[in-house]
Amino acid sequence: MRKLVMMIMGVFLPLNLWADVVFSNKTDLMVSIPNNESEVVHTALDMFRGDYKKVFGRNIVSLDKNASVLIGTIGNNSLAEKRLGDEVVSELRLHKEGFVLKVKGNQLYILGSDKRGTAYGILELSRLIGVSPWEWWADSFVGKKNIITLNEGFSKMEYPSVTHRGIFINDEDWGLMPWSCQNYEPSERKGEIGPKTHARVFELLLRLRANTFWPAMHKCSVAFYLIPGNKEVADKYGIFVGTSHCEPMVRNTNAEWNTSENGTYDYVNNRKNVLKFWEERVKELAGSDNIYTLGIRGVHDSRMLGAKTIQEQKVALTNVLKDQREMIARYVNPDVEKVSQVFIPYKEVLDVYHRGLEIPEDVSLLWCDDNYGYIRHFPDAGERARKGGNGVYYHVSYWGRPHDYLWLATNHPAQLYTQMKQAYDKGAKNMWILNVGDIKPGEYLMELFLDMAWKIDGIENSEKGLERHLLSWLSREFGEQNAKELLPVMNEYYRLAYIRKPEFMGNTRTEEKNPVYKNVSDLPWSEAEINQRIEEYTKISDKVVQLSRNIPVEKLPTWFQLVEYPVRAAAEMNRKHLYGQLARHGLTGWERSDTAYDAIVSLTNTYNALNNGKWKKIMNYQPRKLAVFGRIPRVKAETPMLEPENPLLIFNGKDYKRYKGEQPLMHGLGYQRGAVSLAKGSSVTYNLKTSKDTPDSIRVVVALAPNHPVEGFKLRYSIALNGEPAKVVDYRTVGRSEEWKQNVLTNQAIRETVHKVSDNKNLSLTITALDKGVVIDQIKIYGVRQR
């Protein structure tokens, strides 16, 4: 079969050449679509119509069966379904939201298994003609073309790996909300994020083949369903609207509950009013595509009221679930199992679940990460067998302890990939929701997440697979040559932030009672380490400035949003704090720190002024005005700077000499991009060169990715020097302990063992994964002299 051929030339080729389908700037495109197609299908066609106009300068015209493109949905009696044949239709019918593209004769058939599948199939054409999903949200340039040909026999069938795939707009106070209601969609009603804004969000979701949305829910924003037009625009784009863990029954409790009228939001002691509150929304939404979050928590991300102990909470939640299900059956569908519902065991609710709370089998369980990208619970065999399935709620933006990261989206792609791939392999296939903050600047991470949800095996499970995905993304936006030069820059950008996020550079903490964390202070780094980090950031920042000279002027706004601002702003944030630390110790002047602060302000002003102010108020470099974001106070250090102990040897996880069991996997994770993932029961061995000065004993410090247990409640490895009995080490954390806080701030879990050296022969150190989820980042060897 001939593959897709893209020919960009000035010569017009006849439409019937080789019986192919030709898109050309010489003629309009004739399309046939049944009148009975759903609204979202027509919405997708309108989007493609606009894309086609931008690329070819021509229109899309409706025609009968002789059109070049025939569109249909299974069950709608379309020509596409009739002509593609029973074999194709039968296969497609097996997959929700799937589509087929096929060139047969001189016609292109687009057939969806349902309305969303058809919409995704239409927008696949936008991808094929070179339109980025970020054409509006990142001003991605749409290039003109003369001709693109789909060859006879071209065929593609795709369908999602995850049933519900979407995003959660959260902590919108400093970006999306002020940008929307004060700039893009001005409103006299403070805090409105209206239908014009949501239409843009939903358009992006369709382009990214997503179908689910949790609206912004902070009290600063008007609740989604209280704004006229929001419900209708969600229906227009075929979006399932759901709500977060503390917003049951599609009610934004935080913004909508009125204590003065309804009393306390307390199901136990105020059940009548709470039920009435939920019932109003369920009646209003009957007939729309919604996902109903079940259960109850406090008004805003707090414990439920009226039940103090876990047992009392369990009893209350059992009754809540019964009432909510009866309400759905009454107003939405008598067969309640046909309505999408989800239960989210988040924070204290997870404790109640572990005490035996029974959730109806058809309700999906949505598991959560620890807010810092490490999933707390993976489905076990019983949970995987549930009819309702499982899902994951995952963060690339967060407000809370030990520190917010609401400014730059720097979660390591390999961390996101490995966590979500493991979740999928353990059965989390029904729903994936990504907390994206304000969408910007998390564009790449959002697309990576949704690409995985669409086609889990579309990215090879390796470092090369992830690099290919990032390279492809950069190539689409900036061309292959620029992408090749930019790839190592972006890899370094994520590596450096993995060691310490820009938002964590002040050594401060949020919502912490200990006053020591209120003010900016030294990080535990030596002068040499600080200078090395400054040099590393300077190198990638300078490279971005250099590459910007190669970027065509029409792509510069996209370049600034996707590359230049995040890289340079992260570099300046590091300079600000690291020069500040050196200045506190009299090792440099304060002006270098101040200059970096001023650069961040300038870069942010440039961002908000892009495209004649289109993005005014979308970017805020100081969310919550935390101490870490301000100019560094000019104070003198009271204690000396750290002088680190130099190890005898240091290894990255990948530096093993041999392995036993399954070969370790690398994804580019770790302080030096050298971490390895070990399968349960597999081991790696490192050779330790010795000399006559070899100490009597060695202290082995192992740094691991701070994962949570994948199976059960243990996360262990064993470690042995030569033939000695292996020492077993468990490094799991519980709750929000001090150790967990240190782990997520540094992206390392640290464990030490001491081993006696019996002779001066070459030594071998073997580490074995006793449980799933063991990822070795670095190993440092220190001498211990016996006295």
Side-chain angles (χ1 to χ4, degrees):
M1 181 195 310
R2 280 182 295 169
K3 295 182 179 179
L4 169 67
V5 176
M6 301 182 66
M7 295 180 290
I8 305 172
M9 56 185 71
V11 181
F12 170 61
L13 299 180
L15 288 179
N16 62 354
L17 181 66
W18 304 319
D20 299 332
V21 171
V22 178
F23 302 145
S24 167
N25 65 353
K26 300 296 184 181
T27 185
D28 292 340
L29 182 66
M30 306 301 172
V31 172
S32 173
I33 181 170
N35 292 327
N36 61 347
E37 286 293 339
S38 299
E39 186 177 17
V40 67
V41 175
H42 291 282
T43 300
L45 184 58
D46 286 341
M47 291 166 61
F48 177 59
R49 180 178 285 111
D51 296 341
Y52 197 83
K53 184 76 171 180
K54 291 176 182 177
V55 174
F56 297 106
R58 305 296 303 199
N59 296 316
I60 291 179
V61 179
S62 297
L63 197 66
D64 57 12
K65 60 185 178 181
N66 294 319
S68 298
V69 180
L70 286 81
I71 299 171
T73 303
I74 289 179
N76 281 359
N77 196 35
S78 66
L79 286 172
E81 181 175 359
K82 292 175 182 177
R83 293 181 180 177
L84 283 177
D86 291 341
E87 183 177 349
V88 172
V89 173
S90 296
E91 171 64 19
L92 182 61
R93 200 187 299 273
L94 299 175
H95 307 289
K96 290 183 179 181
E97 300 189 353
F99 65 81
V100 167
L101 300 184
K102 189 173 183 65
V103 175
K104 192 176 179 182
N106 62 349
Q107 293 179 308
L108 169 64
Y109 296 95
I110 303 175
L111 182 66
S113 61
D114 50 38
K115 64 182 183 181
R116 293 182 186 84
T118 307
Y120 300 141
I122 293 170
L123 290 172
E124 186 68 15
L125 296 185
S126 291
R127 290 173 177 258
L128 293 177
I129 65 174
V131 178
S132 166
W134 300 96
E135 61 88 26
W136 192 88
W137 272 96
D139 302 307
S140 184
F141 178 71
V142 180
K144 298 285 186 182
K145 293 181 175 64
N146 294 333
I147 191 168
I148 290 179
T149 301
L150 298 183
N151 297 141
E152 169 71 18
F154 169 78
S155 182
K156 173 182 282 194
M157 178 184 289
E158 292 197 9
Y159 45 86
S161 299
V162 176
T163 305
H164 292 108
R165 314 163 301 282
I167 65 170
F168 176 26
I169 299 292
N170 195 27
D171 305 319
E172 69 281 2
D173 311 42
W174 304 277
L176 193 78
M177 184 275 290
W179 166 79
S180 175
C181 69
Q182 298 177 38
N183 182 20
Y184 182 66
E185 191 175 4
S187 172
E188 295 181 359
R189 191 180 183 190
K190 185 178 179 181
E192 275 201 346
I193 305 175
K196 181 181 176 184
T197 300
H198 281 108
R200 289 298 186 182
V201 175
F202 299 155
E203 179 181 318
L204 175 64
L205 292 182
L206 272 189
R207 290 187 184 278
L208 292 172
R209 297 170 297 205
N211 61 8
T212 304
F213 180 68
W214 288 2
M217 51 76 71
H218 277 206
K219 205 163 188 176
C220 67
S221 301
V222 178
F224 180 85
Y225 282 111
L226 299 185
I227 301 174
N230 277 352
K231 174 184 180 297
E232 289 73 18
V233 81
D235 293 338
K236 177 182 177 181
Y237 285 86
I239 300 297
F240 288 97
V241 178
T243 43
S244 71
H245 52 87
C246 52
E247 301 175 275
M249 307 304 280
V250 206
R251 290 297 314 231
N252 183 337
T253 314
N254 190 39
E256 295 186 73
W257 179 265
N258 189 324
T259 303
S260 62
E261 293 181 2
N262 300 317
T264 306
Y265 186 65
D266 180 346
Y267 173 85
V268 176
N269 299 301
N270 192 20
R271 177 174 176 270
K272 180 179 178 181
N273 282 331
V274 171
L275 292 180
K276 180 183 176 183
F277 177 68
W278 293 338
E279 185 180 53
E280 289 172 351
R281 180 55 42 76
V282 175
K283 290 167 65 176
E284 175 190 347
L285 296 182
S288 294
D289 289 328
N290 291 99
I291 301 171
Y292 291 88
T293 296
L294 305 184
I296 187 171
R297 295 189 71 226
V299 169
H300 182 219
D301 199 5
S302 60
R303 292 175 179 270
M304 66 180 295
L305 299 177
K308 297 180 180 180
T309 67
I310 290 180
Q311 181 58 32
E312 288 175 351
Q313 292 173 10
K314 179 181 174 183
V315 172
L317 280 169
T318 299
N319 293 328
V320 165
L321 294 173
K322 180 175 179 293
D323 284 340
Q324 290 172 336
R325 302 260 289 174
E326 289 177 352
M327 195 176 295
I328 291 171
R330 189 180 317 127
Y331 297 110
V332 182
N333 191 328
D335 188 351
V336 69
E337 294 190 6
K338 292 184 177 180
V339 180
S340 296
Q341 300 156 74
V342 62
F343 182 80
I344 309 173
Y346 186 60
K347 295 185 178 179
E348 80 286 344
V349 180
L350 180 60
D351 297 330
V352 181
Y353 174 83
H354 283 149
R355 288 290 185 93
L357 177 67
E358 294 185 7
I359 310 299
E361 279 292 307
D362 60 286
V363 174
S364 181
L365 296 175
L366 193 68
W367 305 104
C368 308
D369 68 343
D370 60 3
N371 307 315
Y372 293 83
Y374 298 100
I375 297 174
R376 283 196 176 277
H377 178 97
F378 296 86
D380 60 25
E383 290 155 350
R384 288 194 292 275
R386 293 171 50 84
K387 179 181 176 182
N390 296 265
V392 175
Y393 166 45
Y394 197 82
H395 291 75
V396 293
S397 175
Y398 181 65
W399 169 342
R401 294 172 287 173
H403 200 287
D404 308 357
Y405 57 101
L406 302 173
W407 179 37
L408 300 180
T410 56
N411 293 56
H412 202 293
Q415 180 192 8
L416 185 156
Y417 175 86
T418 53
Q419 290 286 300
M420 295 308 301
K421 179 66 165 62
Q422 186 147 255
Y424 183 88
D425 291 343
K426 297 296 288 184
K429 302 179 181 181
N430 185 62
M431 182 181 294
W432 284 17
I433 300 294
L434 184 68
N435 184 328
V436 297
D438 301 302
I439 296 178
K440 305 177 74 64
E443 294 93 342
Y444 175 66
L445 296 175
M446 179 174 166
E447 187 163 350
L448 172 62
F449 181 91
L450 292 174
D451 278 356
M452 290 182 66
W454 177 258
K455 191 175 182 180
I456 192 66
D457 294 326
I459 302 171
E460 178 188 318
N461 189 13
S462 68
E463 181 179 7
K464 289 183 178 179
L466 277 169
E467 286 207 340
R468 275 195 286 269
H469 185 274
L470 179 54
L471 181 64
S472 175
W473 193 79
L474 295 170
S475 297
R476 184 189 69 200
E477 301 299 336
F478 308 114
E480 289 186 12
Q481 185 55 46
N482 289 324
K484 288 178 181 178
E485 294 191 63
L486 187 55
L487 180 63
V489 171
M490 298 312 296
N491 281 336
E492 185 73 345
Y493 167 74
Y494 288 118
R495 182 188 75 84
L496 290 169
Y498 183 77
I499 295 172
R500 194 85 181 182
K501 284 184 178 295
E503 294 91 340
F504 302 167
M505 287 301 297
N507 202 25
T508 53
R509 296 191 189 177
T510 56
E511 302 172 21
E512 187 79 57
K513 294 180 180 179
N514 190 336
V516 72
Y517 294 117
K518 298 298 182 184
N519 300 317
V520 170
S521 62
D522 284 2
L523 288 167
W525 296 340
S526 67
E527 181 181 0
E529 289 171 316
I530 287 172
N531 285 326
Q532 179 183 348
R533 188 169 172 90
I534 290 172
E535 181 181 346
E536 289 167 337
Y537 263 113
T538 298
K539 183 177 180 180
I540 62 171
S541 181
D542 288 351
K543 183 65 174 178
V544 164
V545 172
Q546 175 198 329
L547 287 173
S548 66
R549 303 186 187 109
N550 302 332
I551 304 300
V553 64
E554 64 272 12
K555 293 187 177 182
L556 282 175
T558 307
W559 172 263
F560 193 84
Q561 293 168 63
L562 301 183
V563 175
E564 186 167 355
Y565 182 82
V567 172
R568 292 184 61 195
E572 298 297 352
M573 186 69 154
N574 275 264
R575 288 191 187 106
K576 183 183 79 172
H577 282 283
L578 296 177
Y579 282 137
Q581 182 164 338
L582 293 177
R584 279 194 294 273
H585 292 269
L587 298 173
T588 193
W590 282 103
E591 67 279 355
R592 303 177 86 175
S593 175
D594 291 341
T595 298
Y597 171 84
D598 293 337
I600 295 171
V601 175
S602 177
L603 286 165
T604 306
N605 290 338
T606 299
Y607 196 121
N608 289 320
L610 289 172
N611 280 1
N612 298 315
K614 173 182 175 180
W615 298 114
K616 184 180 180 181
K617 293 187 178 294
I618 196 71
M619 184 56 61
N620 188 320
Y621 70 90
Q622 50 181 351
R624 291 219 278 169
K625 295 186 177 180
L626 301 177
V628 67
F629 296 119
R631 200 179 294 273
I632 306 300
R634 298 191 176 198
V635 297
K636 186 176 180 180
E638 297 181 356
T639 57
M641 193 178 296
L642 178 71
E643 288 295 336
E645 179 186 5
N646 293 320
L648 299 173
L649 296 168
I650 183 169
F651 300 94
N652 290 309
K654 68 178 182 179
D655 295 333
Y656 60 88
K657 290 301 179 182
R658 59 184 181 275
Y659 69 89
K660 186 176 181 180
E662 294 184 28
Q663 184 171 358
L665 287 176
M666 285 184 57
H667 296 92
L669 201 60
Y671 272 35
Q672 295 296 328
R673 292 177 52 81
V676 291
S677 300
L678 297 186
K680 181 179 179 180
S682 297
S683 63
V684 284
T685 298
Y686 303 86
N687 287 349
L688 281 59
K689 294 182 180 180
T690 62
S691 67
K692 62 181 180 180
D693 296 324
T694 299
D696 304 313
S697 298
I698 58 172
R699 178 166 56 95
V700 179
V701 179
V702 181
L704 308 106
N707 296 333
H708 298 288
V710 177
E711 297 173 340
F713 297 94
K714 293 181 179 180
L715 186 58
R716 301 165 300 161
Y717 67 90
S718 67
I719 183 168
L721 184 67
N722 285 7
E724 72 173 2
K727 302 175 186 289
V728 176
V729 181
D730 191 337
Y731 61 100
R732 75 181 181 113
T733 57
V734 178
R736 294 188 177 192
S737 64
E738 176 60 26
E739 182 184 12
W740 170 78
K741 292 175 184 177
Q742 289 288 351
N743 285 358
V744 296
L745 289 170
T746 62
N747 278 315
Q748 284 189 337
I750 305 296
R751 285 294 185 270
E752 297 186 7
T753 51
V754 175
H755 305 261
K756 185 175 178 58
V757 177
S758 57
D759 55 42
N760 283 340
K761 296 179 181 178
N762 286 340
L763 305 174
S764 62
L765 186 73
T766 299
I767 298 178
T768 303
L770 302 181
D771 299 294
K772 289 181 70 68
V774 173
V775 177
I776 302 173
D777 186 355
Q778 292 182 314
I779 303 166
K780 296 179 181 179
I781 310 296
Y782 298 88
V784 178
R785 293 288 181 184
Q786 300 295 330
R787 298 195 179 195

